[in-house]
PDB file of all heavy atoms in Angstrom:
ATOM      1  N   PRO A 250      -4.189   9.217 -24.989  1.00  0.00           N
ATOM      2  CA  PRO A 250      -4.277  10.520 -24.325  1.00  0.00           C
ATOM      3  C   PRO A 250      -4.318  11.657 -25.339  1.00  0.00           C
ATOM      4  O   PRO A 250      -3.857  11.510 -26.475  1.00  0.00           O
ATOM      5  CB  PRO A 250      -2.984  10.584 -23.504  1.00  0.00           C
ATOM      6  CG  PRO A 250      -2.027   9.734 -24.272  1.00  0.00           C
ATOM      7  CD  PRO A 250      -2.850   8.608 -24.847  1.00  0.00           C
ATOM      8  N   LYS A 251      -4.883  12.761 -24.894  1.00  0.00           N
ATOM      9  CA  LYS A 251      -4.891  13.968 -25.719  1.00  0.00           C
ATOM     10  C   LYS A 251      -4.312  15.113 -24.889  1.00  0.00           C
ATOM     11  O   LYS A 251      -5.032  15.986 -24.407  1.00  0.00           O
ATOM     12  CB  LYS A 251      -6.319  14.299 -26.163  1.00  0.00           C
ATOM     13  CG  LYS A 251      -6.929  13.215 -27.054  1.00  0.00           C
ATOM     14  CD  LYS A 251      -8.363  13.530 -27.418  1.00  0.00           C
ATOM     15  CE  LYS A 251      -8.961  12.415 -28.278  1.00  0.00           C
ATOM     16  NZ  LYS A 251     -10.406  12.655 -28.587  1.00  0.00           N
ATOM     17  N   PRO A 252      -2.985  15.078 -24.705  1.00  0.00           N
ATOM     18  CA  PRO A 252      -2.350  16.069 -23.820  1.00  0.00           C
ATOM     19  C   PRO A 252      -2.432  17.483 -24.371  1.00  0.00           C
ATOM     20  O   PRO A 252      -2.373  17.701 -25.584  1.00  0.00           O
ATOM     21  CB  PRO A 252      -0.895  15.592 -23.740  1.00  0.00           C
ATOM     22  CG  PRO A 252      -0.692  14.767 -24.966  1.00  0.00           C
ATOM     23  CD  PRO A 252      -2.011  14.145 -25.283  1.00  0.00           C
ATOM     24  N   GLY A 253      -2.568  18.419 -23.449  1.00  0.00           N
ATOM     25  CA  GLY A 253      -2.648  19.829 -23.829  1.00  0.00           C
ATOM     26  C   GLY A 253      -1.473  20.615 -23.278  1.00  0.00           C
ATOM     27  O   GLY A 253      -0.332  20.152 -23.306  1.00  0.00           O
ATOM     28  N   LYS A 254      -1.762  21.770 -22.721  1.00  0.00           N
ATOM     29  CA  LYS A 254      -0.699  22.657 -22.238  1.00  0.00           C
ATOM     30  C   LYS A 254      -0.083  22.121 -20.942  1.00  0.00           C
ATOM     31  O   LYS A 254      -0.670  21.294 -20.234  1.00  0.00           O
ATOM     32  CB  LYS A 254      -1.255  24.055 -22.003  1.00  0.00           C
ATOM     33  CG  LYS A 254      -2.348  24.114 -20.947  1.00  0.00           C
ATOM     34  CD  LYS A 254      -2.988  25.500 -20.891  1.00  0.00           C
ATOM     35  CE  LYS A 254      -4.142  25.521 -19.893  1.00  0.00           C
ATOM     36  NZ  LYS A 254      -4.852  26.806 -19.883  1.00  0.00           N
ATOM     37  N   ILE A 255       1.105  22.621 -20.630  1.00  0.00           N
ATOM     38  CA  ILE A 255       1.795  22.220 -19.402  1.00  0.00           C
ATOM     39  C   ILE A 255       1.067  22.794 -18.189  1.00  0.00           C
ATOM     40  O   ILE A 255       0.791  23.990 -18.115  1.00  0.00           O
ATOM     41  CB  ILE A 255       3.257  22.692 -19.409  1.00  0.00           C
ATOM     42  CG1 ILE A 255       4.054  21.911 -20.471  1.00  0.00           C
ATOM     43  CG2 ILE A 255       3.902  22.499 -18.035  1.00  0.00           C
ATOM     44  CD1 ILE A 255       5.490  22.369 -20.617  1.00  0.00           C
ATOM     45  N   VAL A 256       0.749  21.908 -17.252  1.00  0.00           N
ATOM     46  CA  VAL A 256       0.076  22.323 -16.012  1.00  0.00           C
ATOM     47  C   VAL A 256       1.091  22.463 -14.881  1.00  0.00           C
ATOM     48  O   VAL A 256       1.112  23.450 -14.159  1.00  0.00           O
ATOM     49  CB  VAL A 256      -1.021  21.307 -15.618  1.00  0.00           C
ATOM     50  CG1 VAL A 256      -1.604  21.651 -14.243  1.00  0.00           C
ATOM     51  CG2 VAL A 256      -2.126  21.284 -16.666  1.00  0.00           C
ATOM     52  N   LEU A 257       1.956  21.460 -14.731  1.00  0.00           N
ATOM     53  CA  LEU A 257       2.951  21.462 -13.651  1.00  0.00           C
ATOM     54  C   LEU A 257       4.346  21.389 -14.252  1.00  0.00           C
ATOM     55  O   LEU A 257       4.634  20.547 -15.095  1.00  0.00           O
ATOM     56  CB  LEU A 257       2.734  20.251 -12.735  1.00  0.00           C
ATOM     57  CG  LEU A 257       3.745  20.072 -11.592  1.00  0.00           C
ATOM     58  CD1 LEU A 257       3.602  21.186 -10.571  1.00  0.00           C
ATOM     59  CD2 LEU A 257       3.571  18.705 -10.928  1.00  0.00           C
ATOM     60  N   GLU A 258       5.207  22.303 -13.799  1.00  0.00           N
ATOM     61  CA  GLU A 258       6.593  22.313 -14.268  1.00  0.00           C
ATOM     62  C   GLU A 258       7.516  22.415 -13.061  1.00  0.00           C
ATOM     63  O   GLU A 258       7.451  23.374 -12.284  1.00  0.00           O
ATOM     64  CB  GLU A 258       6.822  23.490 -15.214  1.00  0.00           C
ATOM     65  CG  GLU A 258       8.155  23.436 -15.935  1.00  0.00           C
ATOM     66  CD  GLU A 258       8.278  24.532 -16.988  1.00  0.00           C
ATOM     67  OE1 GLU A 258       7.552  25.542 -16.887  1.00  0.00           O
ATOM     68  OE2 GLU A 258       9.106  24.373 -17.899  1.00  0.00           O
ATOM     69  N   VAL A 259       8.328  21.370 -12.887  1.00  0.00           N
ATOM     70  CA  VAL A 259       9.274  21.311 -11.766  1.00  0.00           C
ATOM     71  C   VAL A 259      10.683  21.414 -12.333  1.00  0.00           C
ATOM     72  O   VAL A 259      11.046  20.674 -13.247  1.00  0.00           O
ATOM     73  CB  VAL A 259       9.113  19.988 -10.986  1.00  0.00           C
ATOM     74  CG1 VAL A 259      10.139  19.889  -9.865  1.00  0.00           C
ATOM     75  CG2 VAL A 259       7.700  19.856 -10.423  1.00  0.00           C
ATOM     76  N   LYS A 260      11.482  22.351 -11.797  1.00  0.00           N
ATOM     77  CA  LYS A 260      12.845  22.543 -12.298  1.00  0.00           C
ATOM     78  C   LYS A 260      13.847  22.592 -11.151  1.00  0.00           C
ATOM     79  O   LYS A 260      13.677  23.350 -10.195  1.00  0.00           O
ATOM     80  CB  LYS A 260      12.952  23.850 -13.102  1.00  0.00           C
ATOM     81  CG  LYS A 260      12.410  23.757 -14.518  1.00  0.00           C
ATOM     82  CD  LYS A 260      12.747  25.016 -15.314  1.00  0.00           C
ATOM     83  CE  LYS A 260      12.267  24.908 -16.749  1.00  0.00           C
ATOM     84  NZ  LYS A 260      12.614  26.114 -17.534  1.00  0.00           N
ATOM     85  N   ASN A 261      14.875  21.754 -11.269  1.00  0.00           N
ATOM     86  CA  ASN A 261      16.010  21.753 -10.332  1.00  0.00           C
ATOM     87  C   ASN A 261      15.561  21.796  -8.874  1.00  0.00           C
ATOM     88  O   ASN A 261      16.051  22.605  -8.076  1.00  0.00           O
ATOM     89  CB  ASN A 261      16.939  22.929 -10.636  1.00  0.00           C
ATOM     90  CG  ASN A 261      17.522  22.839 -12.031  1.00  0.00           C
ATOM     91  OD1 ASN A 261      17.845  21.757 -12.515  1.00  0.00           O
ATOM     92  ND2 ASN A 261      17.631  23.985 -12.690  1.00  0.00           N
ATOM     93  N   LEU A 262      14.648  20.908  -8.527  1.00  0.00           N
ATOM     94  CA  LEU A 262      14.120  20.868  -7.167  1.00  0.00           C
ATOM     95  C   LEU A 262      15.078  20.078  -6.273  1.00  0.00           C
ATOM     96  O   LEU A 262      15.419  18.919  -6.554  1.00  0.00           O
ATOM     97  CB  LEU A 262      12.732  20.214  -7.152  1.00  0.00           C
ATOM     98  CG  LEU A 262      11.948  20.327  -5.843  1.00  0.00           C
ATOM     99  CD1 LEU A 262      11.596  21.784  -5.556  1.00  0.00           C
ATOM    100  CD2 LEU A 262      10.673  19.481  -5.901  1.00  0.00           C
ATOM    101  N   ASN A 263      15.523  20.731  -5.197  1.00  0.00           N
ATOM    102  CA  ASN A 263      16.440  20.112  -4.240  1.00  0.00           C
ATOM    103  C   ASN A 263      15.852  20.221  -2.842  1.00  0.00           C
ATOM    104  O   ASN A 263      15.200  21.222  -2.507  1.00  0.00           O
ATOM    105  CB  ASN A 263      17.809  20.797  -4.264  1.00  0.00           C
ATOM    106  CG  ASN A 263      18.562  20.517  -5.553  1.00  0.00           C
ATOM    107  OD1 ASN A 263      19.255  19.528  -5.683  1.00  0.00           O
ATOM    108  ND2 ASN A 263      18.406  21.414  -6.542  1.00  0.00           N
ATOM    109  N   TYR A 264      16.111  19.185  -2.034  1.00  0.00           N
ATOM    110  CA  TYR A 264      15.616  19.235  -0.659  1.00  0.00           C
ATOM    111  C   TYR A 264      16.592  18.503   0.252  1.00  0.00           C
ATOM    112  O   TYR A 264      17.022  17.384  -0.042  1.00  0.00           O
ATOM    113  CB  TYR A 264      14.232  18.596  -0.544  1.00  0.00           C
ATOM    114  CG  TYR A 264      13.703  18.578   0.871  1.00  0.00           C
ATOM    115  CD1 TYR A 264      13.257  19.753   1.466  1.00  0.00           C
ATOM    116  CD2 TYR A 264      13.684  17.400   1.612  1.00  0.00           C
ATOM    117  CE1 TYR A 264      12.801  19.756   2.771  1.00  0.00           C
ATOM    118  CE2 TYR A 264      13.227  17.390   2.917  1.00  0.00           C
ATOM    119  CZ  TYR A 264      12.798  18.573   3.490  1.00  0.00           C
ATOM    120  OH  TYR A 264      12.346  18.572   4.792  1.00  0.00           O
ATOM    121  N   PHE A 265      16.944  19.157   1.363  1.00  0.00           N
ATOM    122  CA  PHE A 265      17.843  18.573   2.348  1.00  0.00           C
ATOM    123  C   PHE A 265      17.060  18.276   3.627  1.00  0.00           C
ATOM    124  O   PHE A 265      16.321  19.140   4.119  1.00  0.00           O
ATOM    125  CB  PHE A 265      18.995  19.542   2.676  1.00  0.00           C
ATOM    126  CG  PHE A 265      19.957  19.735   1.531  1.00  0.00           C
ATOM    127  CD1 PHE A 265      19.670  20.652   0.522  1.00  0.00           C
ATOM    128  CD2 PHE A 265      21.124  18.996   1.461  1.00  0.00           C
ATOM    129  CE1 PHE A 265      20.545  20.835  -0.540  1.00  0.00           C
ATOM    130  CE2 PHE A 265      22.014  19.175   0.403  1.00  0.00           C
ATOM    131  CZ  PHE A 265      21.719  20.096  -0.599  1.00  0.00           C
ATOM    132  N   ARG A 266      17.238  17.062   4.140  1.00  0.00           N
ATOM    133  CA  ARG A 266      16.586  16.671   5.384  1.00  0.00           C
ATOM    134  C   ARG A 266      17.199  17.444   6.552  1.00  0.00           C
ATOM    135  O   ARG A 266      18.279  18.027   6.420  1.00  0.00           O
ATOM    136  CB  ARG A 266      16.779  15.157   5.581  1.00  0.00           C
ATOM    137  CG  ARG A 266      15.646  14.435   6.236  1.00  0.00           C
ATOM    138  CD  ARG A 266      15.760  12.931   6.037  1.00  0.00           C
ATOM    139  NE  ARG A 266      17.049  12.405   6.492  1.00  0.00           N
ATOM    140  CZ  ARG A 266      17.496  11.197   6.184  1.00  0.00           C
ATOM    141  NH1 ARG A 266      16.784  10.413   5.415  1.00  0.00           N
ATOM    142  NH2 ARG A 266      18.663  10.767   6.644  1.00  0.00           N
ATOM    143  N   GLU A 267      16.543  17.387   7.709  1.00  0.00           N
ATOM    144  CA  GLU A 267      17.016  18.130   8.887  1.00  0.00           C
ATOM    145  C   GLU A 267      18.433  17.713   9.289  1.00  0.00           C
ATOM    146  O   GLU A 267      19.194  18.524   9.843  1.00  0.00           O
ATOM    147  CB  GLU A 267      16.056  17.895  10.071  1.00  0.00           C
ATOM    148  CG  GLU A 267      14.703  18.565   9.934  1.00  0.00           C
ATOM    149  CD  GLU A 267      13.748  17.788   9.036  1.00  0.00           C
ATOM    150  OE1 GLU A 267      14.147  16.712   8.517  1.00  0.00           O
ATOM    151  OE2 GLU A 267      12.623  18.250   8.822  1.00  0.00           O
TER     152      GLU A 267
END
Side-chain angles (χ1 to χ4, degrees):
K251 297 177 181 177
K254 62 187 176 184
I255 291 176
V256 173
L257 177 67
E258 190 173 21
V259 177
K260 281 189 177 181
N261 298 323
L262 191 65
N263 290 274
Y264 178 73
F265 291 83
R266 214 164 55 194
E267 289 80 0

